[in-house]
Amino acid sequence: MNPHDSLISFNGFTVLLGSKAEQQLIFSEIKEQLLTSERTDVMIVQKNWPFFPYLNLKEQVFLDISEKQKKSKQEDIQSKLMIDSSCLKKAVDELNTFEKIKLQLMHAILAEKTNLIIEDPIDDLSITEIQDLLVHLCDLVNEFSFSILLLTHDLSIAESPYVNFCKEAS
């Protein structure tokens, strides 16, 4: 195994539980490891998305996605993730955190990524959105064979029945 894969090796729906300071440190370390890794199957899902402010929202979501992939899967994925078609017509600053996360999940499915690392979005989501997110993440693991690492400080998320593994950050 590549030594740079130590933090980016996980299975199922894994939660890494730690303080916000620990999360920031670990998240920085993960990003650094990904930059030096040759892995192309990993995607980072962040609250402060998109990464390319010069692209419009649709261009961002479908970046590096072939027309064939987009046409064959887009409607089904939008339906599964409960993404309203009007969401893709919004300006980036009109999106809430949950919409940003769902659009990134759609991109991950279309781009055939199999490993997601998710920055803690919990503080920015309502209870209903958190529940919906957990269901979506569980579905990605079960239906699409994703492996997901969610960094959070929220013990209730770590103890959720949707989570397969929980590790303490240290």
Side-chain angles (χ1 to χ4, degrees):
M1 174 165 61
N2 184 328
H4 297 290
D5 288 345
S6 61
L7 282 176
I8 52 178
S9 294
F10 46 91
N11 292 314
F13 186 177
T14 302
V15 167
L16 189 57
L17 187 64
S19 70
K20 290 188 182 211
E22 288 172 320
Q23 286 179 50
Q24 287 177 340
L25 181 65
I26 291 167
F27 201 64
S28 294
E29 209 171 309
I30 287 171
K31 286 194 273 188
E32 187 176 311
Q33 287 183 12
L34 282 173
L35 287 173
T36 58
S37 169
E38 295 181 18
R39 293 187 61 177
T40 59
D41 61 335
V42 180
M43 182 173 152
I44 295 176
V45 176
Q46 293 182 282
K47 296 182 283 191
N48 297 325
W49 178 81
F51 302 118
F52 305 108
Y54 52 86
L55 296 177
N56 70 37
L57 185 59
K58 243 183 177 170
E59 292 169 333
Q60 180 72 30
V61 171
F62 299 119
L63 185 65
D64 293 332
I65 307 296
S66 72
E67 278 299 314
K68 183 179 178 183
Q69 283 176 294
K70 187 172 99 172
K71 286 183 179 182
S72 68
K73 297 180 183 178
Q74 179 184 350
E75 285 183 30
D76 185 43
I77 294 167
Q78 275 184 241
S79 176
K80 279 184 193 244
L81 294 173
M82 295 183 280
I83 299 171
D84 188 281
S85 57
S86 67
C87 189
L88 288 167
K89 296 174 184 164
K90 291 182 178 181
V92 174
D93 58 348
E94 295 175 329
L95 296 173
N96 64 38
T97 301
F98 192 46
E99 290 169 324
K100 289 178 184 179
I101 291 169
K102 291 194 302 184
L103 289 171
Q104 289 175 87
L105 295 177
M106 183 167 93
H107 177 84
I109 296 167
L110 290 171
E112 298 177 347
K113 302 295 182 183
T114 56
N115 296 282
L116 296 180
I117 299 169
I118 304 174
E119 177 186 28
D120 190 356
I122 305 307
D123 291 340
D124 296 344
L125 302 177
S126 70
I127 292 171
T128 303
E129 289 171 334
I130 292 169
Q131 183 63 35
D132 288 347
L133 177 61
L134 291 173
V135 169
H136 291 316
L137 296 178
C138 188
D139 288 347
L140 289 177
V141 170
N142 294 327
E143 290 181 40
F144 295 97
S145 300
F146 272 66
S147 290
I148 297 172
L149 177 65
L150 172 67
L151 286 78
T152 188
H153 65 283
D154 191 316
L155 186 58
S156 65
I157 300 301
E159 294 175 345
S160 163
Y162 298 106
V163 173
N164 301 111
F165 307 101
C166 180
K167 300 177 185 176
E168 290 282 332
S170 51

Short mmCIF file of all heavy atoms in Angstrom, two decimals, residues 16 30 35 80-81 91 101 124 127 162:
data_model
loop_
_atom_site.label_atom_id
_atom_site.label_comp_id
_atom_site.label_asym_id
_atom_site.label_seq_id
_atom_site.Cartn_x
_atom_site.Cartn_y
_atom_site.Cartn_z
N LEU A 16 -15.24 9.50 11.40
CA LEU A 16 -14.07 9.84 12.19
C LEU A 16 -14.52 10.96 13.13
O LEU A 16 -14.85 12.05 12.70
CB LEU A 16 -12.93 10.31 11.29
CG LEU A 16 -11.58 10.51 11.94
CD1 LEU A 16 -11.10 9.24 12.64
CD2 LEU A 16 -10.56 10.93 10.90
N ILE A 30 -5.27 14.84 5.08
CA ILE A 30 -5.88 14.03 4.01
C ILE A 30 -5.69 14.71 2.66
O ILE A 30 -5.31 14.07 1.68
CB ILE A 30 -7.38 13.79 4.30
CG1 ILE A 30 -7.54 12.78 5.44
CG2 ILE A 30 -8.10 13.30 3.05
CD1 ILE A 30 -8.97 12.63 5.95
N LEU A 35 -2.96 14.88 -2.63
CA LEU A 35 -2.17 15.58 -3.63
C LEU A 35 -0.94 14.79 -4.05
O LEU A 35 -0.48 14.89 -5.18
CB LEU A 35 -1.75 16.96 -3.11
CG LEU A 35 -2.86 17.99 -3.05
CD1 LEU A 35 -2.38 19.27 -2.35
CD2 LEU A 35 -3.38 18.33 -4.44
N LYS A 80 -32.85 10.11 -7.19
CA LYS A 80 -32.40 9.40 -5.99
C LYS A 80 -31.93 10.36 -4.89
O LYS A 80 -32.17 10.13 -3.72
CB LYS A 80 -31.25 8.44 -6.32
CG LYS A 80 -31.70 7.15 -6.91
CD LYS A 80 -30.53 6.22 -7.11
CE LYS A 80 -30.90 5.11 -7.94
NZ LYS A 80 -31.02 3.89 -7.93
N LEU A 81 -31.26 11.42 -5.31
CA LEU A 81 -30.73 12.38 -4.34
C LEU A 81 -31.71 13.51 -4.05
O LEU A 81 -31.40 14.42 -3.29
CB LEU A 81 -29.40 12.97 -4.84
CG LEU A 81 -28.24 11.99 -4.94
CD1 LEU A 81 -27.04 12.66 -5.60
CD2 LEU A 81 -27.86 11.43 -3.59
N ALA A 91 -27.65 30.32 -8.95
CA ALA A 91 -26.29 30.80 -8.80
C ALA A 91 -25.70 30.10 -7.57
O ALA A 91 -26.44 29.71 -6.66
CB ALA A 91 -26.28 32.31 -8.58
N ILE A 101 -23.95 19.86 -1.07
CA ILE A 101 -23.50 18.49 -0.80
C ILE A 101 -24.15 17.52 -1.78
O ILE A 101 -23.48 16.65 -2.36
CB ILE A 101 -23.80 18.09 0.66
CG1 ILE A 101 -22.92 18.90 1.60
CG2 ILE A 101 -23.60 16.59 0.88
CD1 ILE A 101 -23.30 18.80 3.06
N ASP A 124 -24.23 23.12 9.72
CA ASP A 124 -24.93 23.94 8.73
C ASP A 124 -26.23 23.31 8.23
O ASP A 124 -26.88 23.87 7.35
CB ASP A 124 -24.02 24.19 7.52
CG ASP A 124 -22.77 24.99 7.87
OD1 ASP A 124 -22.75 25.61 8.96
OD2 ASP A 124 -21.84 25.00 7.06
N ILE A 127 -32.03 19.29 11.23
CA ILE A 127 -32.16 17.88 11.65
C ILE A 127 -32.69 17.03 10.50
O ILE A 127 -32.20 15.93 10.25
CB ILE A 127 -33.05 17.77 12.90
CG1 ILE A 127 -32.33 18.40 14.09
CG2 ILE A 127 -33.41 16.32 13.19
CD1 ILE A 127 -33.17 18.55 15.34
N TYR A 162 -26.88 4.09 10.52
CA TYR A 162 -26.41 4.10 9.13
C TYR A 162 -24.91 3.88 9.02
O TYR A 162 -24.40 3.49 7.98
CB TYR A 162 -26.78 5.43 8.45
CG TYR A 162 -28.25 5.68 8.38
CD1 TYR A 162 -28.86 6.60 9.21
CD2 TYR A 162 -29.05 4.99 7.47
CE1 TYR A 162 -30.22 6.84 9.14
CE2 TYR A 162 -30.41 5.21 7.40
CZ TYR A 162 -31.00 6.14 8.23
OH TYR A 162 -32.34 6.37 8.17
#
